[in-house]
Amino acid sequence: MPCLLLARACHRSVPGGEPDGGERVVLARSLDRPMRYFLAKSADGPVLIVAERMDEIATELGHRGWADQFHPSYTRMAPAHHVTTLRLIGCPDPNPVHRRFFDPPRGTLPRDLDLIGRHYIEAVYSELRRWLAAQNPAAPIGVPFSGGIDSGAILLCLYKLLLNEGQSPARLKAFTLSVDGEGQDARQASDFLSHTHLEMFGEIIDVSSSTLDPLRAVAVIEDYKPLDVECATVNLALLANIRARYPDWRLLVDGDGGDENLKDYPIEENSELTIRSVVNNRMLYQEGWGVDSIKHSLTYSGGYSRGCVRSYACAREYGFEGFSPFTRPSVIAVAEAIPFPELTEGSHEKLYALKGEIVARGVRTVLALEMPVFPKRRFQHGSVAATQTARLFPQDEARYRRHFETLHTAVV
């Protein structure tokens, strides 16, 4: 269920008879779940509205007769891994104060890939074990599965975990999206399952490209960044068809956050990045440039702190409960402890090869399984024919932004 919290300023007196400066409100969120807030004005003082979505905030303002105060750019996203403190003292509103609560030490592990891999997969396995203990033991578990490094590690960890906990691995199913019967992910997933002798878990979800609707994805994730919109577009197609086949299915475990942890994004595609900025900035892909930087978006946050909606909002749209151990602090802490500068030595190629080496070695050591490693590709690219990628995903941010702006026109 969506969260919605309202807080109204309440001026009190302190010794000496002076007002205490208003009500102090403290917000905090995990990396994988959005939290937005909005300060509204009323005759009695400022009112803070906290929710997961912009449209929930707009609806609440409308109910209270304050619709004319709303604009999506006035909403704020609480940044992950920080305590956000607000003071409701009226106009003008003071800036929030962000205090980091998660600050793992960086680069403390030795340059031993076997040791790094073991620590990383042990942390993933422990988070999955903790999550599994809180679930109904009869509930089936789905893995959105491309056969890539992250979804592959998730499937293998869950398989071993269920066996070790004395539960049936028949609860598992690996769902792979194929658009128009094409896409390299379907072939890759089949190869992965064949290599690991887990073919019984695979299920292809075939959809027509005519059902892909990026503008609907814009509305669901309330964002317009092309890569996030396109990922959400295919994710919605996958989830809609899982829901149609399995009306009661609830649990999904995905590999989101794995690329961010091990810095597995093509640096060449972003002119703002260099390998030095990637390996030397703390949690760059998880948090963006940081809350104190000029490039930090107050409306959206940065990095996966912004991009989490492409998974969370889509799962919520179809009534699924999603989870990724890669977004948990214990797993991120291991990733931050990896000595990336020393291991990569300024080489893009060494950085891109590192993730497969770390995860495969960890799976071998912790799970006693051999995991195949395939080249990285994005979800939206692996689910369609290579010849159709440019047509289906034209990287049209201006179009997405225009559509986003129309969504709240009536309210504004």
Side-chain angles (χ1 to χ4, degrees):
M1 294 295 292
C3 64
L4 185 65
L5 176 149
L6 283 87
R8 185 182 294 274
C10 179
H11 294 279
R12 301 184 299 270
S13 295
V14 295
E18 295 297 323
D20 73 346
E23 189 73 20
R24 186 173 70 100
V25 179
V26 176
L27 307 174
R29 56 169 278 234
S30 57
L31 181 63
D32 60 345
R33 183 168 181 167
M35 177 186 285
R36 293 193 167 279
Y37 61 92
F38 183 95
L39 276 172
K41 301 293 189 297
S42 75
D44 297 327
V47 177
L48 176 69
I49 302 173
V50 182
E52 291 177 350
R53 297 181 55 83
M54 293 177 182
D55 56 15
E56 291 170 350
I57 292 173
T59 298
E60 184 63 30
L61 289 169
H63 287 162
R64 294 173 179 271
W66 303 332
D68 58 341
Q69 297 188 33
F70 179 80
H71 191 279
S73 65
Y74 297 163
T75 66
R76 295 289 181 260
M77 178 79 86
H81 302 153
H82 290 74
V83 172
T84 297
T85 301
L86 300 122
R87 294 175 63 217
L88 306 188
I89 61 175
C91 190
D93 305 309
N95 282 327
V97 175
H98 303 295
R99 180 173 55 83
R100 176 175 290 281
F101 66 79
F102 176 55
D103 190 14
R106 305 186 68 241
T108 57
L109 287 172
R111 297 173 59 175
D112 181 339
L113 294 183
D114 287 319
L115 179 66
I116 292 170
R118 177 169 66 80
H119 281 304
Y120 190 66
I121 296 302
E122 282 178 345
V124 170
Y125 186 91
S126 294
E127 289 294 343
L128 285 170
R129 188 171 184 229
R130 187 175 296 113
W131 172 85
L132 185 68
Q135 308 306 321
N136 180 342
I141 302 169
V143 178
F145 185 72
S146 69
I149 295 169
D150 296 319
S151 63
I154 292 295
L155 184 68
L156 295 180
C157 282
L158 282 171
Y159 171 66
K160 275 289 191 174
L161 176 61
L162 289 168
L163 289 174
N164 293 341
E165 296 295 311
Q167 300 185 32
S168 172
R171 293 172 64 186
L172 279 177
K173 194 171 286 292
F175 296 112
T176 303
L177 180 66
S178 176
V179 178
D180 295 335
E182 298 286 346
Q184 297 180 42
D185 279 0
R187 292 184 286 274
Q188 178 175 281
S190 177
D191 290 344
F192 185 104
L193 296 173
S194 176
H195 182 92
T196 54
H197 308 293
L198 298 177
E199 297 95 330
M200 71 289 290
F201 299 133
E203 181 168 337
I204 299 294
I205 303 292
D206 200 358
V207 305
S208 168
S209 59
S210 64
T211 66
L212 300 181
D213 187 353
L215 297 186
R216 177 168 179 254
V218 169
V220 171
I221 69 173
E222 300 184 312
D223 204 344
Y224 44 79
K225 287 182 65 178
L227 292 176
D228 289 332
V229 170
E230 294 159 6
C231 181
T233 299
V234 292
N235 196 19
L236 287 168
L238 174 66
L239 298 177
N241 281 270
I242 295 174
R243 176 57 69 224
R245 292 188 188 187
Y246 302 100
D248 299 322
W249 202 289
R250 186 172 58 89
L251 301 178
L252 294 176
V253 183
D254 60 53
D256 269 15
D259 285 336
E260 286 78 4
N261 289 349
L262 299 182
K263 306 183 187 300
D264 192 25
Y265 282 110
I267 297 170
E268 298 83 359
E269 293 183 5
N270 189 331
S271 60
E272 294 184 340
L273 297 180
T274 65
I275 189 168
R276 290 186 62 187
S277 64
V278 169
V279 301
N280 289 314
N281 279 278
R282 173 181 53 193
M283 289 182 275
L284 176 66
Y285 286 135
Q286 289 93 341
E287 299 181 2
W289 295 105
V291 297
D292 296 322
S293 71
I294 290 176
K295 295 179 182 179
H296 179 74
S297 170
L298 299 176
T299 304
Y300 284 107
S301 188
Y304 191 75
S305 180
R306 173 178 187 163
C308 68
V309 292
R310 68 182 184 239
S311 293
Y312 182 85
C314 294
R316 176 183 147 176
E317 182 77 2
Y318 286 103
F320 292 104
E321 292 184 19
F323 175 70
S324 172
F326 293 121
T327 64
R328 305 307 301 153
S330 67
V331 179
I332 298 173
V334 175
E336 285 294 289
I338 297 170
F340 283 101
E342 293 81 2
L343 289 170
T344 58
E345 300 177 323
S347 166
H348 292 207
E349 290 71 25
K350 287 184 178 180
L351 177 62
Y352 302 152
L354 200 55
K355 179 180 175 181
E357 281 289 327
I358 289 173
V359 176
R361 291 179 188 225
V363 166
R364 182 183 305 121
T365 302
V366 177
L367 306 181
L369 295 171
E370 291 295 327
M371 187 184 87
V373 174
F374 299 103
K376 172 185 169 58
R377 70 177 65 88
R378 298 183 188 276
F379 183 14
Q380 59 267 40
H381 298 157
S383 60
V384 306
T387 56
Q388 298 299 309
T389 300
R391 178 180 70 85
L392 295 173
F393 307 116
Q395 293 277 300
D396 194 350
E397 180 170 336
R399 180 189 178 213
Y400 302 149
R401 187 189 288 264
R402 285 195 303 270
H403 183 68
F404 170 79
E405 291 170 351
T406 67
L407 295 175
H408 296 290
T409 299
V411 176
V412 175

